[in-house]
Amino acid sequence: MTAVFASHRKRRKLKSEINVVPYIDVMLVLLIIFMVTAPLLTLSVDVDLPDSTARSVESQKDPVIVAVDASGGYTLTLESGKPEAIDAEMLQAKLRAFVGQNPDTPVFVAAPGASDYQRVMDTMVMLQQSGVKKVGLMSQPGGNAR
């Protein structure tokens, strides 16, 4: 009777293969998550602009210098002239006229290190809208300048 009640069980063979489909699914989900979140991580960056150790730019013509002060005001210096305080509309009008007559004159933007970076970027956009093709940034030489 024991033979009747004893069930004949087959032993299953152990699989030596790994099912990689769940791992691929997890990796694709992680890839999508990282692709979506990566651009969001770089939206705001604190920038501490360094001092420059570069040599000064040699030019035949005196440059036009647009200085942005810490309060957001502008100062314009035209070809070895005297610096004059100026508002944004007048700055655009004067630069448009000056660059129209002297297209090869270099234009530089100067700002103190503690000034608002957004103000400097807005100034560069304003210069571009005034017809200035190339804008340079001025800096103070560092303590280890050569």
Side-chain angles (χ1 to χ4, degrees):
M1 277 216 158
T2 58
V4 175
F5 292 111
S7 64
H8 183 63
R9 295 186 184 176
K10 275 187 172 180
R11 286 199 165 208
R12 292 185 184 176
K13 268 188 153 181
L14 291 177
K15 281 184 159 182
S16 62
E17 299 174 0
I18 297 175
N19 188 4
V20 295
V21 173
Y23 299 119
I24 293 173
D25 291 343
V26 169
M27 292 304 292
L28 288 175
V29 168
L30 287 174
L31 177 67
I32 291 170
I33 289 172
F34 287 133
M35 286 174 60
V36 169
T37 58
L40 300 177
L41 297 176
T42 59
L43 283 181
S44 63
V45 177
D46 291 333
V47 176
D48 185 16
L49 298 175
D51 292 334
S52 173
T53 58
R55 295 186 313 261
S56 63
V57 177
E58 299 297 327
S59 174
Q60 273 85 13
K61 295 184 178 182
D62 288 335
V64 173
I65 300 173
V66 178
V68 182
D69 60 13
S71 64
Y74 297 109
T75 304
L76 177 65
T77 307
L78 294 174
E79 288 189 339
S80 69
K82 204 171 188 185
E84 62 176 308
I86 193 168
D87 65 341
E89 292 84 24
M90 282 297 292
L91 176 66
Q92 268 190 308
K94 280 192 173 188
L95 278 175
R96 188 174 288 121
F98 189 81
V99 171
Q101 294 175 356
N102 306 308
D104 295 334
T105 303
V107 178
F108 293 111
V109 175
S115 66
D116 186 26
Y117 188 70
Q118 183 63 45
R119 177 67 72 172
V120 174
M121 293 304 298
D122 292 340
T123 303
M124 292 177 73
V125 169
M126 185 174 30
L127 293 176
Q128 184 183 25
Q129 291 171 349
S130 298
V132 177
K133 291 188 173 95
K134 290 185 180 180
V135 177
L137 295 175
M138 293 181 70
S139 65
Q140 292 268 332
N144 56 358
R146 294 176 193 159

